[in-house]
Amino acid sequence: AYGTKVVAGVTPGRGGTMFDDAVSVYNTVEEAVLQTGANASLVFVPPQFAADAIAEAVDAGIEVVISITEGVPVLDTIKVVHYAKEQGVILVGPNCPGLISPAEKCKVGIMPSHIYKGGRIGVVSRSGTLSYEAVGQLTDLGLGQSTVVGIGGDPVSGTDFVDVLSEFQKDDDTDAVVLIG
């Protein structure tokens, strides 16, 4: 509904089915990538399976992995963050709300999209709730956002403030950035 092009779902054992009569479901991320050309993955799995799900996405050639899962074991996270970086994959999270480029460009995550407004301010936060509060206040003031990234609140995350700031520096659509610790 937000404009994000959802091309596949992955649930082992449910390959060959459809979600909502519009999205094909595959048994593996590799199958989904081969069939659809998917380049991003949103991970919603229990904590004990999250690292394996992230690694599966990395192995399948996914370029950006966003892990919503909270409470991933720290040692698992350390290993998979290192692995993703070695492979040149951007890992956002775990324990993050995702990312959004407002004005119905793209949303990959669990943010309440009605509070966002397109504009030129980037927002980066470790806390989903605080990012929603900051965005709500910016929007109320008439200040729109270019992209909002929730990097995750777990002790170890794949993307940090410096990573996101360097991406904002490359972005001609962002004039200012708000950091929320």
Side-chain angles (χ1 to χ4, degrees):
Y2 200 79
T4 306
K5 185 177 179 185
V6 178
V7 297
V10 175
T11 303
R14 293 204 181 161
T17 63
M18 297 288 287
F19 173 77
D20 204 24
D21 294 326
V23 178
S24 296
V25 177
Y26 298 89
N27 287 314
T28 68
V29 178
E30 180 180 37
E31 290 173 10
V33 169
L34 289 172
Q35 293 298 314
T36 68
N39 60 3
S41 177
L42 184 60
V43 176
F44 287 99
V45 299
Q48 66 270 30
F49 305 120
D52 286 342
I54 293 166
E56 180 184 359
V58 170
D59 290 343
I62 293 289
E63 299 166 18
V64 178
V65 179
I66 296 101
S67 177
I68 305 301
T69 306
E70 180 178 2
V72 178
V74 175
L75 290 178
D76 290 354
T77 304
I78 290 169
K79 290 175 188 174
V80 79
V81 163
H82 179 72
Y83 181 62
K85 286 184 180 183
E86 277 183 333
Q87 303 304 312
V89 172
I90 296 169
L91 171 59
V92 181
N95 186 22
C96 76
L99 55 94
I100 186 169
S101 290
E104 298 185 10
K105 291 180 184 173
C106 183
K107 172 182 161 181
V108 185
I110 56 171
M111 306 76 117
S113 54
H114 68 279
I115 65 172
Y116 297 87
K117 172 184 177 173
R120 301 188 60 82
I121 299 174
V123 178
V124 186
S125 178
R126 288 186 52 82
S127 166
T129 304
L130 290 177
S131 70
Y132 307 153
E133 182 65 27
V135 164
Q137 290 181 22
L138 288 169
T139 298
D140 288 348
L141 292 169
L143 302 171
Q145 306 86 45
S146 58
T147 300
V148 179
V149 182
I151 59 174
D154 278 359
V156 176
S157 61
T159 303
D160 60 24
F161 287 108
V162 173
D163 296 330
V164 178
L165 285 172
S166 68
E167 291 300 317
F168 278 132
Q169 287 179 330
K170 300 175 193 175
D171 184 8
D172 292 335
D173 293 332
T174 302
D175 292 333
V177 178
V178 176
L179 302 175
I180 305 164

